[in-house]
Each structure stands twice: as structure tokens, then as C-alpha cells.
Amino acid sequence: MNNLSDKIFSQDHARQLDSQDPLSEMRQEFHIPKQANGDDEIYFCGNSLGLQPKRTQEYLNYELSQWKKLGVKGHFSGDFPWMPYHEFLAEESAKLVGAKTSEVVCMNSLTANLHFMMASFYQPNKLRHKILIEEHAFPSDHYAVESQIRFHGFAPKESMLLAKPRAGEETLRTEDILALIEQQGDEIALIMLPGVQYYTGQVLDMKSITAAGHAKGCRVGFDLAHAAGNIPMALHDWDVDFAAWCSYKYLNSGPGSVAGCFIHERHHKAELYLNNELPRFAGWWGHDKESRFRMENNFLPIETAESWQLSNPPILSLAAIRASLDTVKQAGGIEILRQKSIKLTRYLRELLNQELGNDITILTPEDIHASGAQLSIAVDLHGLDSKTVFDRIEAAGVTCDFRHPNVIRVAPVPLYNSFEDCFKFTSILKKALGVNL
């Protein structure tokens, strides 16, 4: 190894990078799980479940106290009354996805939101009935799309159009997606792709895909489960029809927490629903706020994304989301986090390529415009599979995750991970692979 390589792969160098990191103190805002010996875990699993912000307990305790002291009056009293609670999340949620505050709402769960969005935006007919998704879509998305196609009386074999990587490749090429839209767009009713592909960590070109879809008369939506809190977006300016995301990955709102949804403002006019131009499943929390409690059973939708709400939301979950959004705000917002994320992930990639370049393959694109915080790693050593390696690094104090058939997903999250975490992870991975230190 040359001197430069020795310097990069050293704990002192990693610590120096941390000392120069303006966000290094944000780690103190989170509870870091401990190993059996009392040391911090190397927690690289924020792409599956983010860590708990320390302020979360305070926010939850406040709402529990309000419930204890006020009972039903808590809907109208206190600093954060429950009746409009979801509104307290709109501004920061909108900043994360590049939207207007009127275009976002926290409600339901991710797959439920995708179903509700498809109830509005997938209106197939004999000529235009296909839904374009990716071949390796997250299973829940695949199931949701298939069931929607069946619900409308079509056959998934005929109506589910799959975007596939080229032979021998792991990631999708933008030009191939655009070509598929151009070729079959007249038959595509809906394009529903991920913002960030869960398995490879690839960031898709949402702007170009949306423009191509609209040019062919298609509706376009995105699953942002792995994009929200990970990469900056501009959903409004990109003219995306809808999007949905969970809040418990990079947004750290707790297991199973309430999801988020975006609907472009051009779809908000009440007349679109009343004239059945844009159908939806309705509930009373989507009804006009001024007349909601008149109980007149004459649905008048709010002219914002809120009109897709069904029921009053779980306040304790929204309180956890408010804590996570306030933590992101404290860090300076998604653009600042992205700057660190690029540096952090690039450093980890450099370490892995330098120390283990002949023993592993990183599936995630190297282009920073096509990758976020996640690196997806496959083991190339003969006689050693990725699951065995995963078990070894987990036993050594690393928390990441394994996805069949052979990928270890690691996500250095800029809010709480450090450059030293990257160094330690690489050292542990080398041992797990039997590579000499």
C-alpha cells in the first residue's frame, strides 16, 4: 500500500474527518444502540429503521400528559392541539420532498397510501390499462399494483409492464426506461417507480421519467420509501402527480409510524372529485374543515392534499414525526444533510474499493446523481456467500441488513453516522472476509 492509501485507511484519518464535520454534533441528538461490551454499535441500518431522536420521548410525553390532564379537550388545547396536528408537520415535510405545504399530508401507511393514490390515478380502459413498475420492485409495491390491476378486471400478465436492467447489469438505465415509455406509453395508464431502488440503492431520474410519462398521457407517481430524508427532491417543479413515503427510515419516526403523501396541487380542486374526473376513497377527515362537524353526509373535499385523508390520525405517531422533522430542521435541512451524505458515502466507497476491491462488488452506482446514502454490497469470494459474511459482521457489532439473494445493504446516515463508523465497518468486513489487516 502507498502512503496515501495508508493514510485514508486509518482511524486517525477518520477521526480527523469527523473533527471537520459541521454535523458531527448531531450524533448526540440520537440514542445509539450499544454492543454487549458497552461500545456503540456501528448502526448502518437507517435505510430500514432509523434511530430514535432524543427529543422524541419529550414530544410523546407531552401528548400523553395532555391526554391525562385534558381528555377530549386536548383536541383544542395546548401548544399542539390534536385537531389540526397534522398541519404542524406540513411545512417541514414539504421541504423534504420539494413541495408546497398544501401538497403534502401525513396519513396512513405507505402501501395504504399507494392504494389510495392508485384509486385516484389508475383509471384503466381497454386501450390504456398498463402500469409500469420495475422488475425488482419492493414486494409490497408489486402486490399492490397486481391487486389494483385485478380489481379493475385486467390481467397482470397483460397489464403489468416491467422495467428491467440489461442482461448482466443490476441497475436500470434511464434511457431504457424512457424508451419503454415512448414505445408503450399509449397503453400505459400509470407509471409507478421508486425514487430510490431499495435493493441496489439506485436513485432514479424522477424528473425525466415524469416528463416522458406526461408526454405520452400517463399519470406518474413514485414510492419514496428510500428517498424521503435521503436525497433532495423537487416534486412540485418536476410536475409529479403523486408520491408516498414511509417516515421510519431516514426520517427516524419509529417502527410502523405514519406515512407521508404528496399530491400535486393541480389535482386539488373539489370539482375534479365532484364531477368524478378524479375519483377517490373519501373519509370525514378529508371533508371541508369548516363544515366537517355539521354531519351532513355531503362530502365536500378540502382543496389540498388533506382531502385524501380518511380518519383523524394517531397523535402519538405524529408527535414522533414532529420530533424527527425538528431534528432534520436542527441539522439545517435536507440539502445540508445531502452534502454530508455524499462525503460520508464516498469515503466508505473509497475504503471498500481500496481494501476489498477484489473481494466485493458494490451494486450502487458511483455517480452521486444516481446514488444516495445506501451502498449495496455483494461478496465475490469463492466459497463464501454474503449471508455468512453478514452474520459475521453482525456478531462483531455492526447492524445493517441482508436482502436475498446476496446483498448486504449498508447506509451511513448523515444525521448520526460518522467517518469513524465507516473505518470501523471496513475493518470488521475485512476480518469477516478473512482479508489480512
Side-chain angles (χ1 to χ4, degrees):
M1 251 183 225
N2 58 41
N3 291 335
L4 178 60
S5 296
D6 287 338
K7 179 182 178 183
I8 291 174
F9 188 68
S10 74
Q11 195 162 19
D12 286 344
H13 181 62
R15 287 175 174 172
Q16 181 182 1
L17 293 174
D18 283 324
S19 71
Q20 299 167 351
D21 172 23
L23 293 182
S24 62
E25 294 301 317
M26 288 303 302
R27 183 180 177 91
Q28 305 306 315
E29 300 295 323
F30 289 85
H31 294 288
I32 310 295
K34 301 293 183 182
Q35 302 178 49
N37 63 6
D39 292 342
D40 287 351
E41 279 188 3
I42 299 162
Y43 194 86
F44 276 179
C45 209
N47 58 335
S48 185
L49 179 66
L51 293 181
Q52 183 188 133
K54 290 182 177 178
R55 71 182 70 199
T56 300
Q57 186 170 356
E58 172 193 343
Y59 287 24
L60 290 175
N61 283 343
Y62 176 80
E63 300 310 332
L64 289 172
S65 175
Q66 290 294 92
W67 180 21
K68 176 182 177 181
K69 293 185 299 183
L70 300 175
V72 71
K73 296 183 180 68
H75 283 90
F76 314 101
S77 303
D79 296 331
F80 297 95
W82 304 330
M83 181 67 69
Y85 201 102
H86 65 276
E87 298 174 22
F88 304 137
L89 313 179
E91 182 176 354
E92 296 306 319
S93 294
K95 291 176 183 177
L96 284 173
V97 298
K100 296 184 177 182
T101 55
S102 62
E103 295 176 317
V104 297
V105 63
C106 292
M107 63 181 191
N108 307 319
S109 61
L110 171 57
T111 304
N113 282 340
L114 292 175
H115 272 296
F116 287 126
M117 292 301 99
M118 284 189 279
S120 293
F121 293 100
Y122 178 54
Q123 298 298 316
N125 56 50
K126 290 183 179 180
L127 297 179
R128 190 186 288 273
H129 55 88
K130 293 181 179 181
I131 300 180
L132 172 60
I133 64 171
E134 44 148 343
E135 181 183 42
H136 199 180
F138 191 77
S140 193
D141 289 28
H142 187 104
Y143 305 153
V145 166
E146 181 175 335
S147 65
Q148 285 281 339
I149 289 171
R150 292 183 185 278
F151 179 79
H152 285 278
F154 292 88
K157 184 177 180 181
E158 303 297 329
S159 297
M160 187 182 294
L161 181 61
L162 303 178
K164 305 176 183 180
R166 296 185 184 182
E169 298 183 358
E170 296 284 348
T171 56
L172 297 163
R173 295 197 185 194
T174 300
E175 60 265 33
D176 292 347
I177 297 174
L178 300 184
L180 188 58
I181 294 170
E182 178 62 30
Q183 293 161 10
Q184 302 204 38
D186 292 339
E187 298 179 358
I188 297 173
L190 174 65
I191 298 167
M192 200 176 84
L193 293 168
V196 176
Q197 210 282 339
Y198 86 97
Y199 187 75
T200 64
Q202 178 188 10
V203 176
L204 271 65
D205 186 347
M206 291 178 269
K207 180 180 180 180
S208 296
I209 291 168
T210 301
H214 286 169
K216 298 295 287 188
C218 315
R219 289 310 193 10
V220 184
F222 291 96
D223 177 345
L224 304 179
H226 290 268
N230 180 3
I231 59 171
M233 291 172 279
L235 298 185
H236 175 85
D237 290 344
W238 294 342
D239 208 28
V240 172
D241 290 296
F242 71 86
W245 59 92
C246 51
S247 64
Y248 50 79
K249 300 181 190 300
Y250 296 102
L251 296 180
N252 313 299
S253 64
S257 191
V258 169
C261 204
F262 163 89
I263 302 102
H264 198 282
E265 67 175 355
R266 70 178 178 281
H267 301 302
H268 292 177
K269 291 187 180 299
E271 63 189 42
L272 294 175
Y273 168 80
L274 298 174
N275 296 336
N276 206 33
E277 297 175 55
L278 190 67
R280 73 196 67 169
F281 295 139
W284 82 314
W285 225 248
H287 183 88
D288 172 65
K289 296 174 186 178
E290 297 300 319
S291 58
R292 179 185 292 158
F293 284 93
R294 293 176 189 170
M295 307 299 187
E296 294 174 336
N297 291 338
N298 183 22
F299 184 70
L300 178 61
I302 307 169
E303 292 195 324
T304 71
E306 297 166 286
S307 66
W308 274 264
Q309 295 175 115
L310 299 184
S311 303
N312 52 323
I315 298 301
L316 296 181
S317 183
L318 295 194
I321 296 175
R322 187 168 68 84
S324 66
L325 292 174
D326 281 355
T327 304
V328 171
K329 183 178 181 180
Q330 179 185 348
I334 188 62
E335 295 286 351
I336 298 298
L337 289 173
R338 175 62 171 161
Q339 291 174 23
K340 177 179 175 180
S341 181
I342 291 171
K343 294 176 183 177
L344 198 62
T345 309
R346 180 182 289 154
Y347 176 64
L348 178 57
R349 186 188 289 269
E350 287 174 353
L351 292 178
L352 293 173
N353 284 336
Q354 174 185 292
E355 302 297 315
L356 296 165
N358 296 324
D359 305 314
I360 64 171
T361 297
I362 300 174
L363 306 184
T364 311
E366 189 168 359
D367 179 1
I368 63 170
H369 300 293
S371 61
Q374 174 181 310
L375 294 182
S376 297
I377 301 168
V379 174
D380 292 339
L381 288 175
H382 294 293
L384 190 62
D385 63 84
S386 295
K387 183 59 168 65
T388 299
V389 174
F390 171 79
D391 291 340
R392 290 176 180 176
I393 62 175
E394 187 176 54
V398 174
T399 295
C400 53
D401 77 359
F402 177 79
R403 295 289 169 167
H404 290 282
N406 71 329
V407 163
I408 299 169
R409 303 188 311 168
V410 298
V413 174
L415 274 169
Y416 49 75
N417 282 126
S418 66
F419 291 91
E420 188 172 5
D421 284 339
C422 297
F423 168 80
K424 290 180 178 178
F425 171 79
T426 306
S427 299
I428 290 171
L429 183 57
K430 288 181 70 172
K431 291 180 181 177
L433 292 169
V435 177
N436 293 327
L437 293 172

